[in-house]
Amino acid sequence: MRERSRPRGRREAGGGRSAGGAASPRRERRAAPAAGDGRRPAMEEGAADLRQRKKQNCTESDKMAPEERNKENSKLGRSPKYMLIQRFAKLFFGCLAAVTSGMMYAVYLSTYHERKFWFSSRQELEREITFQGDSAIYYSFYKELLKAPSFERGVYELTHNNKTVSLKTINAVQQMTLYPELIASVLYQASGSEEVIEPVYFYIGIVFGLQGIYVTALFVTSWVMSGTWLAGMLTVAWFIINRTDTTRIDYSIPSRENWALPYFACQVAALTGYLKKNLNCSAEKFCYLLVSASTYTFMMMWEYSHYLLFVQAVSLFLLDSFSLAQTEKVHEVYKIYLFSLFLGYLLQFENSALLVSPLLSLVAALMFSKCLQMNMKKGTFLSRLLKIMYIYLVLTITVTLNFLLKMFVPHKENEHLLKFIEVKLGLNTTKTKYLWTPYVCMLAAFGVCSPELWMTLFKWLRLKAVHPILLALILSMAVPTIIGFSLWKEFLPRIMTELSELQEFYDPDTVELMTWIKRQAPVAAVFAGSPQLMGVIKLCTGWMVSSLPLYNDDDLLKRNENIYQIYSKRSAEDIYKILTSYKANFLIIEDSICNEVGPVRGCRVKDLLDIANGHVVCEEGDSYAYSKYGRFCHEIKMNYSPYVNYFTRVYWNRSYFVYKINTVISFQS
């Protein structure tokens, strides 16, 4: 009955193919049991059908797109040559606008940085002081790579580093994700830039260039989504206006986010293009390769990257579940995730955090559920039940698999890292705005510039006075133009004023401290103090320190907690025992921490230490710090026993007090 109900032309075409000896796949599968070969496994059939559909979709999209465009052009009375020129002009000017936006943003960042720090007119020591905290550590390892006799030797010294933290050998490449510094040092030496540009300018120039690529990728994503590069221009404008919320480049140039997020933006742009329908084969392959390369690079640049990719994978899973994206393409992206995780695990020194990441558990659950669907016969009760319970099944497998992996894979550091992230986000959720604000700008521009969204709005409002299509086209051009001119008029003068102002970063006390250390301290000396200051000391002097501003290592975190006790209400003997246990020779007290006056009482460093040590007494709703010892950082400045027995002041200025830790203790009255 089915063969009779088909059109004659299709039946004859099928018969022609059979007569020619190339039977259709459907008839081959039906004839296979009769020939006694046995039924092929359902998995192979599903894979063959999937490959055949992809090839058919690819060839059909290549053939159908020109035919549909030619029909459309013939109706409008336009020649194909005219339309080709129009499309080329649109593509050319759009790409030119995207690249120009990225270059101008990179130049803007460079100019602003120069105006803020007077970088070109400062000495090397003053330039290095502008790197604070973990940024100083990142740049210090970049300097060490350039000083090494060879790149291989430099990498070996970083992976077996025993000259940074006392009594500890660390793999700095693994613990601090130093792949950006490895790449930057290779580019600097391979390009022959030693005689052309200073290392610091080359380093920050790469970061500023990546920020330009970031802006270009956002431009392209908004353009692909809306179909007009006006959306890209609007995205860039909103991104720059909200720069304090869209990037952390002002606070920490070498931070991992500034290296990694541009690659994620490129991945989002390529993924947006890859998921579009009616995409020709060449563009689809290019987008697929770009998604693969940018996903892996993003994962190598930032230790938190797999959490962001997990959110993206959940979004793709929901799009696939509600049939808003092509299933075949979505599962190809899942394979990219798996490949990136596997390769990242191997090249990141068997990083266990990737094995217990929720991304791996989710993707494995999705692939397993897909395998179950392909192995089940269509139309059966189980297949229908699986289709209904698909989301629940995926979530259940994901949670179970992640729980099992955490049971059998040692991941103490990753577990502590998650706790740190939870506490950090709980204290201040605005610190993560730079992750999602750029995409809010992009989606807002897409909503304003997309004719399809305007048409959907008019259909929902049932507007009949004006033709919806015509009005949508007019508004999708007029509204962004009006917004663009208003932004230009209001914010361009502010930006130009910001660039023309000569700010000044002046920290003479820190410069004097670093100069004293380099001139007076022994080469083998070990310094103790706050982790942020230790990072600057390591960069500017190269001396060994007792702690680092790292939060993904249990031992380093314990060191930080113990050394911070110099700002608590502990005895001189307790502090002496803590410092000598890490072989420290010098102690640095920062007046800004010791005499900190925070806006909220209870959130200062010394308040947190009092709470942790149990030195806080609550009476009638008020809390008071109480201990039989005074605050160490205050008492040591008084120069009386027993503090002078353990510590000897050797240097001080308005901000820092340096004490030598005595090796021989003499108790004098």
Side-chain angles (χ1 to χ4, degrees):
M1 292 298 290
R2 289 182 180 177
E3 292 293 332
R4 293 178 183 175
S5 62
R6 291 178 181 172
R8 183 178 299 274
R10 184 175 296 179
R11 186 171 66 243
E12 288 175 359
R17 285 193 298 271
S18 299
S24 65
R26 187 185 299 275
R27 292 188 179 182
E28 283 181 0
R29 286 197 295 270
R30 290 180 179 175
D37 294 337
R39 185 183 299 273
R40 291 194 304 171
M43 185 68 182
E44 295 180 4
E45 291 183 4
D49 289 343
L50 184 60
R51 288 193 295 269
Q52 187 175 1
R53 284 199 301 271
K54 286 184 68 178
K55 291 179 180 178
Q56 289 176 351
N57 291 338
C58 191
T59 55
E60 286 176 4
S61 62
D62 286 344
K63 293 178 181 178
M64 289 294 293
E67 292 177 1
E68 291 177 357
R69 285 195 293 265
N70 290 336
K71 290 179 181 178
E72 215 176 297
N73 297 340
S74 61
K75 289 180 181 179
L76 297 172
R78 298 172 180 172
S79 63
K81 185 177 180 180
Y82 171 80
M83 292 301 299
L84 181 63
I85 295 174
Q86 186 182 20
R87 287 198 302 272
F88 176 77
K90 180 181 178 182
L91 181 63
F92 174 77
F93 286 109
C95 292
L96 182 63
V99 174
T100 304
S101 299
M103 293 177 62
M104 290 183 65
Y105 181 65
V107 172
Y108 162 72
L109 290 177
S110 178
T111 306
Y112 177 77
H113 182 263
E114 174 64 27
R115 292 287 183 176
K116 182 178 180 180
F117 295 109
W118 291 40
F119 223 60
S120 59
S121 60
R122 293 189 177 277
Q123 299 296 324
E124 182 180 5
L125 178 60
E126 294 175 324
R127 292 174 183 172
E128 292 176 349
I129 286 175
T130 61
F131 298 105
Q132 298 290 322
D134 56 349
S135 299
I137 293 296
Y138 294 134
Y139 185 73
S140 70
F141 288 127
Y142 168 72
K143 282 182 56 180
E144 290 184 11
L145 281 169
L146 296 181
K147 292 178 181 178
S150 65
F151 177 74
E152 293 78 8
R153 182 62 184 176
V155 173
Y156 178 82
E157 290 178 355
L158 289 185
T159 54
H160 303 79
N161 187 285
N162 59 359
K163 298 179 181 179
T164 299
V165 183
S166 60
L167 301 178
K168 189 175 180 64
T169 300
I170 62 174
N171 185 342
V173 178
Q174 178 186 14
Q175 290 193 343
M176 301 198 66
T177 319
L178 294 180
Y179 298 98
E181 282 67 33
L182 296 179
I183 296 172
S185 63
V186 168
L187 292 176
Y188 184 73
Q189 294 175 335
S191 61
S193 301
E194 295 93 339
E195 300 178 358
V196 180
I197 187 173
E198 297 180 48
V200 64
Y201 280 109
F202 186 84
Y203 185 86
I204 64 176
I206 293 178
V207 180
F208 291 156
L210 285 174
Q211 300 306 304
I213 294 175
Y214 192 179
V215 167
T216 300
L218 293 173
F219 184 109
V220 172
T221 306
S222 187
W223 181 13
V224 171
M225 293 173 62
S226 63
T228 172
W229 50 267
L230 284 176
M233 297 293 290
L234 204 55
T235 300
V236 173
W238 278 331
F239 180 91
I240 296 175
I241 290 170
N242 298 282
R243 185 167 54 88
T244 56
D245 296 328
T246 56
T247 179
R248 293 186 62 201
I249 196 72
D250 287 353
Y251 310 106
S252 177
I253 292 178
S255 68
R256 303 301 86 175
E257 302 95 303
N258 293 333
W259 285 89
L261 290 179
Y263 294 102
F264 182 67
C266 292
Q267 191 254 20
V268 171
L271 184 61
T272 304
Y274 180 68
L275 294 178
K276 283 182 70 70
K277 297 179 180 178
N278 300 325
L279 194 66
N280 62 66
C281 279
S282 301
E284 183 176 321
K285 290 178 181 178
F286 173 76
C287 291
Y288 178 82
L289 292 175
L290 185 56
V291 170
S292 303
S294 54
T295 301
Y296 171 70
T297 308
F298 174 58
M299 191 170 292
M300 294 294 291
M301 292 291 174
W302 194 25
E303 57 187 331
Y304 302 147
S305 58
H306 53 91
Y307 296 112
L308 210 57
L309 291 174
F310 168 73
V311 176
Q312 187 184 75
V314 171
S315 303
L316 289 175
F317 166 58
L318 294 175
L319 289 175
D320 184 28
S321 301
F322 294 104
S323 302
L324 298 176
Q326 299 179 44
T327 303
E328 295 83 2
K329 290 186 177 182
V330 171
H331 281 268
E332 288 297 323
V333 178
Y334 294 157
K335 294 177 184 178
I336 293 174
Y337 291 151
L338 285 178
F339 175 77
S340 300
L341 284 168
F342 174 72
L343 198 60
Y345 171 76
L346 294 179
L347 296 183
Q348 290 182 5
F349 305 92
E350 299 182 358
N351 185 5
S352 60
L354 297 180
L355 295 181
V356 298
S357 68
L359 176 64
L360 178 61
S361 302
L362 176 63
V363 173
L366 288 166
M367 300 296 285
F368 178 74
S369 302
K370 182 67 176 179
C371 182
L372 285 179
Q373 280 188 333
M374 294 176 65
N375 278 315
M376 284 188 178
K377 294 182 180 179
K378 296 182 179 180
T380 62
F381 173 75
L382 287 177
S383 65
R384 294 173 181 172
L385 182 63
L386 180 61
K387 190 173 182 180
I388 297 172
M389 304 291 291
Y390 181 71
I391 297 178
Y392 176 76
L393 177 66
V394 170
L395 294 178
T396 303
I397 296 175
T398 300
V399 174
T400 304
L401 182 60
N402 192 254
F403 176 76
L404 293 175
L405 286 173
K406 287 183 176 180
M407 283 183 61
F408 296 103
V409 177
H411 59 288
K412 291 182 179 179
E413 289 151 358
N414 183 69
E415 201 171 68
H416 175 75
L417 189 62
L418 286 175
K419 292 180 180 178
F420 171 74
I421 294 173
E422 290 175 2
V423 172
K424 188 175 181 180
L425 296 182
L427 291 175
N428 190 359
T429 56
T430 60
K431 289 184 178 181
T432 61
K433 287 198 295 184
Y434 67 93
L435 295 176
W436 49 266
T437 304
Y439 298 96
V440 172
C441 297
M442 182 189 67
L443 292 174
F446 160 69
V448 170
C449 301
S450 175
E452 289 81 5
L453 290 183
W454 284 108
M455 289 175 59
T456 304
L457 177 63
F458 295 149
K459 289 179 181 178
W460 181 69
L461 295 175
R462 297 180 181 179
L463 187 65
K464 297 181 180 180
V466 184
H467 198 280
I469 298 178
L470 179 61
L471 187 58
L473 291 174
I474 294 174
L475 289 178
S476 63
M477 297 286 289
V479 172
T481 304
I482 295 172
I483 294 175
F485 276 115
S486 63
L487 294 177
W488 178 281
K489 183 179 179 180
E490 181 178 358
F491 291 99
L492 182 63
R494 297 185 186 180
I495 294 175
M496 298 307 295
T497 303
E498 185 181 58
L499 293 178
S500 62
E501 287 181 353
L502 293 177
Q503 305 180 38
E504 185 172 6
F505 177 83
Y506 187 59
D507 191 359
D509 293 341
T510 305
V511 173
E512 292 174 3
L513 174 64
M514 300 303 156
T515 304
W516 180 87
I517 292 174
K518 295 173 72 173
R519 292 178 179 176
Q520 302 295 330
V523 177
V526 178
F527 285 83
S530 69
Q532 289 72 23
L533 181 60
M534 295 301 101
V536 178
I537 289 176
K538 174 59 183 174
L539 168 60
C540 297
T541 68
W543 264 246
M544 190 176 292
V545 295
S546 58
S547 61
L548 288 176
L550 294 179
Y551 307 99
N552 58 355
D553 183 270
D554 287 338
D555 180 64
L556 288 176
L557 184 69
K558 189 64 177 178
R559 285 177 179 237
N560 294 342
E561 293 176 355
N562 289 337
I563 294 175
Y564 260 129
Q565 296 297 322
I566 61 178
Y567 300 105
S568 68
K569 295 188 173 184
R570 299 280 294 271
S571 66
E573 183 180 1
D574 290 344
I575 302 299
Y576 181 82
K577 289 180 179 179
I578 291 173
L579 297 177
T580 53
S581 66
Y582 298 123
K583 301 298 181 182
N585 305 116
F586 291 90
L587 168 66
I588 303 178
I589 299 292
E590 296 176 66
D591 201 56
S592 59
I593 300 178
C594 187
N595 297 321
E596 182 182 5
V597 181
V600 181
R601 187 178 180 182
C603 295
R604 299 171 298 182
V605 171
K606 53 188 178 183
D607 297 334
L608 298 175
L609 290 169
D610 292 339
I611 295 172
N613 295 335
H615 295 160
V616 176
V617 178
C618 297
E619 293 181 0
E620 299 179 358
D622 295 327
S623 58
Y624 304 94
Y626 172 78
S627 174
K628 64 179 182 179
Y629 302 105
R631 196 167 300 280
F632 177 83
C633 63
H634 289 155
E635 300 296 324
I636 195 175
K637 297 176 185 178
M638 303 297 180
N639 288 328
Y640 63 85
S641 183
Y643 296 93
V644 294
N645 302 326
Y646 295 100
F647 308 96
T648 302
R649 188 167 65 185
V650 292
Y651 174 80
W652 72 94
N653 59 27
R654 291 176 301 176
S655 302
Y656 303 101
F657 294 81
V658 182
Y659 296 87
K660 186 179 184 300
I661 302 173
N662 299 330
T663 54
V664 178
I665 306 173
S666 60
F667 290 92
Q668 301 176 359
S669 58

